[in-house]
Amino acid sequence: PSGNQLNFAGGKGATQRTWEGNAPLPEPRPQAFWETIGPSAIPMREGWRAPRAATMEDLDRIVEGFAAAARRSVAAGFDLIELHGGDGARGDP
């Protein structure tokens, strides 16, 4: 069996890889980060950029993105699809 994990980074997006420090990407390189969208405009941690609070249109687009990714996963032959929602909660490391 094979599986695919689908995730939305939310306010935790635009950060370094965990093994590289897990901090926000540096400001001097604006092309290196993107606008993050979260459930509210509260930053993940002190010193992090605040995400933009999601609108209903954003949520519709996110749901459709998950559905499209699930369809592609099935077409690619995955036996299992996991929707991962554990990362990105405020204060999550």
Side-chain angles (χ1 to χ4, degrees):
S2 61
N4 191 20
Q5 183 184 81
L6 307 178
N7 186 321
F8 180 75
K12 199 173 182 179
T15 59
Q16 297 170 331
R17 295 175 185 99
T18 303
W19 57 91
E20 292 177 343
N22 200 33
L25 294 173
E27 288 285 349
R29 295 176 36 212
Q31 74 281 7
F33 65 91
W34 52 92
E35 177 185 47
T36 56
I37 300 171
S40 73
I42 299 172
M44 286 288 298
R45 295 192 187 104
E46 187 175 324
W48 285 39
R49 286 178 211 83
R52 179 174 58 78
T55 64
M56 286 306 296
E57 291 80 18
D58 293 324
L59 297 177
D60 289 342
R61 196 173 68 250
I62 291 165
V63 167
E64 179 49 40
F66 271 101
R71 288 190 294 271
R72 289 191 302 272
S73 296
V74 169
F78 286 103
D79 301 306
L80 170 78
I81 300 169
E82 176 185 21
L83 300 180
H84 181 79
D87 288 335
R90 189 167 192 273
D92 180 42

